[in-house]
Amino acid sequence: MALATGIRVVLLPGMTGSAIMEYSIYKKNGFLMIVCTNSMQHQILDESGNIKINHSSKNGYGVKSINKIVKKYDGSIKYSQSEDTLACSIAIYNG
């Protein structure tokens, strides 16, 4: 979930008043934690909890970059979605 995508979603018509975009970065138990939460209007996670990527609509390139960075630093990434928000939680060991 790239920053540009989060901004686009918050600015979409129909998102007025309830749109959010939150980013938290902190250390916990030797890990660097990065949590990103964005408003979302539709389901974008598949049954396995992965983001459905659609390059024909120019979606998913930020997710691909994030996954590459997390893998490079031997981290983990988890996506979760509620009725109206999408969260991405990243943990990278920072011992």
Side-chain angles (χ1 to χ4, degrees):
M1 167 174 29
L3 182 58
T5 301
I7 292 170
R8 270 198 313 274
V9 169
V10 168
L11 296 176
L12 282 174
M15 295 299 285
T16 57
S18 63
I20 64 163
M21 185 170 62
E22 298 175 344
Y23 290 83
S24 300
I25 301 172
Y26 56 95
K27 287 184 178 182
K28 181 178 180 182
N29 299 328
F31 286 87
L32 175 65
M33 306 296 296
I34 304 168
V35 181
C36 311
T37 305
N38 288 0
S39 296
M40 194 56 52
Q41 291 182 317
H42 57 279
Q43 183 69 25
I44 66 164
L45 296 181
D46 64 19
E47 303 79 35
S48 301
N50 297 311
I51 291 184
K52 301 174 200 171
I53 295 176
N54 180 357
H55 291 301
S56 63
S57 65
K58 299 195 189 286
N59 290 331
Y61 290 106
V63 171
K64 195 172 181 179
S65 297
I66 292 167
N67 287 337
K68 186 176 179 180
I69 292 166
V70 169
K71 184 176 180 177
K72 177 181 177 178
Y73 291 101
D74 200 28
S76 65
I77 189 166
K78 179 184 174 193
Y79 297 99
S80 58
Q81 188 167 10
S82 69
E83 184 177 318
D84 58 356
T85 61
L86 174 69
C88 171
S89 301
I90 298 168
I92 297 174
Y93 184 70
N94 192 25

